[in-house]
Amino acid sequence: MAIAPTTAPERIRISPRPIGQGESTRTFSIEDVIRALVQRIIMIFFIWFVFIGLTAGGTYYLWKYHPRYRAEAHLLVESPNPNMPFKLGESENVSPNVLAQFQATQALLATSTEVVDKALLDASEKNTGRYKQTPDDERRQQLKQDIPDAAIGGTNVMAIRMETRSRNDPHIIANALAAAYLAQANETARSEFRQELEEYKHEEQRTLDNLENKAKDIEEYVSRMAPGVATGSNPN
């Protein structure tokens, strides 16, 4: 059983304080702040050096044991309007905006599904290690993913790039893609020429039909004229 103090010197006055509010037992000095900053700076430098070491080690490992070889095929894009035979030797001024738009379109065509399918049919492409090691149903998608943007800003050149782990494959694949692009571009151009030629033929046929109808109208008109009027002679 607790015994309460009865004399005045034994009584201890306790000042009330809010619940949950603790008392400060220590204050930080300047030395403590400097020590904490130094510890954090050392930790930051340690993490930074570890990161650099891991990056350098990983780069060396990939370069040593998993190298990647790169090849490029450069294609010159001159004008969206090909020269017709009767315009050979004549220069044509093309708006920079039109040319830039045409180059962007050709860059998309160079990495399109049609071009990739043509490249995969190339005999030299089929002999590459990449082709043989990739499953049949993954070749198209894998090749499309590995082709970067072909456009080179500020120039009239497209670059079809390819990277592989075998030094014997990248130039073969890049050349196959370039040949497939040229074939597709020529096919598209021939299609446009054929369409334009068909329009000219239809226009020519309409003109001939109009001339034939006019000739029939003239013959019918002359047949209804009085004798001698058409030739300008006097029947009397």
Side-chain angles (χ1 to χ4, degrees):
M1 182 177 65
I3 301 175
T6 56
T7 62
E10 294 176 343
R11 297 177 183 273
I12 301 175
R13 184 180 297 274
I14 301 176
S15 60
R17 65 179 181 182
I19 298 176
Q21 182 178 358
E23 295 181 355
S24 177
T25 60
R26 181 184 178 186
T27 59
F28 287 98
S29 63
I30 298 298
E31 291 78 4
D32 295 332
V33 175
I34 294 176
R35 187 182 302 108
L37 290 176
V38 170
Q39 290 176 352
R40 281 160 176 76
I41 292 174
I42 293 175
M43 180 62 68
I44 291 173
F45 274 103
F46 175 76
I47 295 174
W48 185 59
F49 281 119
V50 170
F51 176 76
I52 292 178
L54 291 176
T55 303
T59 303
Y60 176 79
Y61 175 80
L62 292 176
W63 171 79
K64 182 68 174 178
Y65 300 102
H66 300 282
R68 295 186 67 87
Y69 301 92
R70 179 177 178 179
E72 293 186 2
H74 293 169
L75 300 171
L76 180 63
V77 181
E78 294 182 316
S79 172
N81 301 319
N83 291 331
M84 298 297 290
F86 53 84
K87 291 184 179 180
L88 291 177
E90 297 182 9
S91 61
E92 182 180 5
N93 294 326
V94 181
S95 170
N97 294 333
V98 174
L99 182 58
Q101 183 178 4
F102 177 70
Q103 290 174 345
T105 303
Q106 295 306 302
L108 290 177
L109 177 62
T111 58
S112 63
T113 302
E114 292 79 5
V115 170
V116 170
D117 289 342
K118 280 184 171 62
L120 290 175
L121 295 176
D122 188 274
S124 58
E125 162 74 16
K126 292 182 178 180
N127 289 328
T128 60
R130 175 194 177 93
Y131 185 93
K132 297 175 181 178
Q133 295 171 5
T134 306
D136 296 345
D137 56 344
E138 298 180 6
R139 288 195 183 108
R140 175 197 290 176
Q141 189 63 27
Q142 188 68 33
L143 186 56
K144 283 179 64 68
Q145 291 177 354
D146 291 345
I147 304 174
D149 184 14
I152 300 179
T155 68
N156 291 356
V157 177
M158 290 193 313
I160 299 180
R161 307 177 181 90
M162 180 52 56
E163 289 186 359
T164 64
R165 299 193 182 280
S166 172
R167 67 169 69 240
N168 299 323
D169 290 351
H171 63 283
I172 296 177
I173 300 175
N175 289 334
L177 287 169
Y181 159 75
L182 292 175
Q184 184 66 29
N186 290 333
E187 183 178 338
T188 303
R190 286 196 300 269
S191 177
E192 294 176 356
F193 280 129
R194 284 195 295 266
Q195 182 178 359
E196 188 174 356
L197 181 60
E198 289 296 326
E199 293 177 357
Y200 285 145
K201 288 182 178 181
H202 290 318
E203 184 66 25
E204 180 185 12
Q205 188 61 42
R206 285 193 295 269
T207 302
L208 293 176
D209 293 340
N210 290 334
L211 291 175
E212 185 177 356
N213 292 333
K214 286 294 183 181
K216 291 180 179 179
D217 293 340
I218 293 174
E219 290 180 1
E220 184 178 356
Y221 179 76
V222 171
S223 64
R224 290 198 294 252
M225 297 177 69
V229 174
T231 58
S233 61
N234 190 352
N236 294 325

